[in-house]
């Protein structure tokens, strides 16, 4: 087993409209730092991966299915596998998303 380590702000970033995504993957679990800009949306999407979102700083609105949540520092939300969700950053924000299994689609985009 090889140990992996990184400072999350220095991880390679994948730029998407309104945010920078910085994934860090193990064998079966992935954690991703997302840096969102105030006033920016993240488009509605769904994926087969289970997701947990933790807000470190800032504020955002998160839609999971039909429900809208407003999240701030220390708030956490679960996105079940296959459920459509989207976000809107109210303030500049840093959010961590955990995924199981690993989102190989995002890792492939960094290559």
């Amino acid at each position: 087993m090889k140990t992996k380590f990184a400072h999350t702000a220095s991880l390679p970033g994948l730029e998407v409209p309104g945010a920078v995504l910085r994934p860090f993957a193990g064998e079966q679990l992935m954690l991703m730092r997302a840096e969102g800009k105030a006033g920016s949306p993240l488009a509605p999407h769904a994926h087969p991966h289970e997701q947990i979102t933790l807000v470190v700083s800032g504020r955002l609105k998160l839609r999971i299915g039909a429900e809208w949540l407003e999240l701030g520092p220390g708030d956490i939300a679960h996105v079940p596998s296959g459920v459509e969700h989207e976000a809107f950053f109210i303030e500049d924000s840093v959010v961590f998303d955990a995924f199981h299994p690993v989102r190989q689609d995002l890792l492939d985009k960094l290559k």
Side-chain angles (χ1 to χ4, degrees):
M1 177 180 88
K2 183 178 177 186
T3 301
K4 294 172 75 174
F5 171 82
H7 182 71
T8 61
S10 300
L11 288 167
L14 174 63
E15 292 194 33
V16 298
V20 176
L21 310 178
R22 301 181 188 281
F24 183 82
E27 293 177 21
Q28 299 180 34
L29 179 67
M30 185 169 95
L31 188 64
M32 182 175 68
R33 176 186 173 117
E35 302 157 358
K37 293 290 182 196
S40 297
L42 289 179
H45 63 284
H47 43 74
H49 313 81
E50 184 175 18
Q51 175 180 335
I52 292 180
T53 297
L54 170 66
V55 179
V56 175
S57 64
R59 297 198 71 73
L60 65 126
K61 290 183 181 180
L62 176 65
R63 181 182 62 81
I64 303 169
E67 184 176 5
W68 279 97
L69 305 170
E70 187 169 324
L71 305 175
D75 291 339
I76 194 166
H78 174 249
V79 181
S81 172
V83 174
E84 186 180 78
H85 53 288
E86 64 183 300
F88 179 81
F89 294 102
I90 298 167
E91 301 173 359
D92 286 353
S93 302
V94 174
V95 175
F96 280 89
D97 292 321
F99 297 98
H100 182 268
V102 171
R103 288 210 45 193
Q104 192 61 47
D105 60 320
L106 292 177
L107 297 176
D108 289 345
K109 290 178 181 179
L110 280 174
K111 294 179 182 178

